[in-house]
Amino acid sequence: MAAPAVEATAASALRSVILRARKAAEHVGRDPERVRVVAVSKTKPVSLIRQIYDAGHRCFGENYVQEIIDKVPQLPGDIEWHFVGHLQSNKAKTLLTGVPNLAMVHGVDGEKVANHLDRAVSNLGRHPLKVLVQVNTSGEVSKSGIEPSSVVELARHVKLHCPNLVFSGLMTIGMPDYTSTPENFRTLSNCRADVSKVLGMAEDQIELSMGMSGDFEQAIEMGSTNVRVGSTIFGPREYPNKAT
């Protein structure tokens, strides 16, 4: 269980992040209400998540299937859960079964995982699931995601051949780049323009999930609608039983 001082610090940090996000949006003339702060709670105890919930936040993200399905039953049912980690296709059914209030999957990086999610949604009879196509904008082999040149094809597949999924936009992790206009964010924005043109969707209907603790303000200024903020809210990660 998290110590009370840690919980109070996390709630204060959340308020600071939301304020910074609003200011970043306003700085470029964007509506702050169009920016979603996803509080990424991987490795953090349920008691700490509950503290953030009690502070009024409802949008949380997790990276690991087993961890999220362990936590969900212990927390209120009105949480809007986002799965922001790499999802293996054979875990799609487990994830959806264990998280009935799953709002969005950020990391669809191939037709296989899209098809598995589509089938799982259909079999469970739940409402259509919002998904984002993950793009590897940095070219790093350690990062998941498809090449920018393949984005339109995968987005089209989800939109046209996965009736139980809602193609909602694009996601990237990218490399840390603290310049005023990070290249990876620009690449994702360009991908959105391509998808918009080919699929006939308005750009403002295509969400962007980009920006984390170190660069979420730049991401918002460049059009992000989802920023995935973990350590700035919850403190440094703890990985029990793993080498550091």
Side-chain angles (χ1 to χ4, degrees):
M1 181 174 290
V6 174
E7 294 178 348
T9 300
S12 175
L14 168 71
R15 287 190 289 271
S16 175
V17 166
I18 291 174
L19 180 61
R20 288 168 60 190
R22 290 188 69 86
K23 286 183 175 178
E26 290 168 351
H27 183 248
V28 291
R30 294 186 60 203
D31 179 1
E33 298 302 319
R34 295 291 301 262
V35 178
R36 182 185 293 115
V37 174
V38 181
V40 180
S41 47
K42 66 177 179 181
T43 79
K44 297 303 178 182
V46 166
S47 61
L48 191 52
I49 300 171
R50 183 64 197 236
Q51 183 72 14
I52 298 298
Y53 175 91
D54 289 342
H57 202 62
R58 294 294 180 269
C59 184
F60 293 86
E62 289 284 344
N63 289 63
Y64 307 114
V65 172
Q66 189 59 51
E67 185 174 356
I68 191 172
I69 64 176
D70 287 345
K71 287 176 174 177
V72 163
Q74 304 176 62
L75 288 159
D78 64 337
I79 286 179
E80 178 185 308
W81 288 104
H82 290 238
F83 190 77
V84 299
H86 177 67
L87 180 63
Q88 295 174 300
S89 56
N90 63 352
K91 297 288 181 67
K93 183 180 178 181
T94 303
L95 174 65
L96 286 167
T97 303
V99 191
N101 47 336
L102 185 66
M104 183 179 285
V105 170
H106 287 231
V108 171
D109 61 357
E111 290 187 7
K112 184 177 180 181
V113 69
N115 292 341
H116 277 249
L117 281 169
D118 183 65
R119 192 176 310 124
V121 172
S122 177
N123 290 341
L124 290 168
R126 61 156 281 166
H127 56 81
L129 176 69
K130 292 181 178 181
V131 299
L132 304 179
V133 167
Q134 183 171 355
V135 186
N136 185 338
T137 55
S138 65
E140 296 169 277
V141 294
S142 61
K143 299 279 174 66
S144 299
I146 59 171
E147 295 296 315
S149 60
S150 302
V151 170
V152 170
E153 184 180 351
L154 181 54
R156 182 192 286 119
H157 175 81
V158 172
K159 189 167 175 61
L160 300 182
H161 301 292
C162 298
N164 301 289
L165 304 182
V166 179
F167 169 71
S168 299
L170 309 173
M171 175 266 211
T172 195
I173 296 176
M175 294 175 68
D177 179 353
Y178 303 115
T179 60
S180 58
T181 53
E183 188 63 35
N184 298 154
F185 295 166
R186 186 185 294 112
T187 297
L188 197 69
S189 184
N190 290 341
C191 288
R192 175 170 65 176
D194 292 341
V195 170
S196 168
K197 188 182 304 180
V198 174
L199 297 188
M201 298 176 67
E203 282 197 34
D204 64 3
Q205 297 302 308
I206 301 173
E207 295 204 40
L208 295 182
S209 174
M210 61 187 192
M212 296 187 286
S213 284
D215 54 13
F216 71 89
E217 286 154 309
Q218 292 101 318
I220 291 169
E221 291 179 358
M222 295 187 67
S224 182
T225 58
N226 295 267
V227 290
R228 310 180 303 275
V229 183
S231 57
T232 297
I233 295 172
F234 292 101
R237 300 285 177 215
E238 298 165 7
Y239 295 93
N241 303 321
K242 291 183 181 180
T244 55

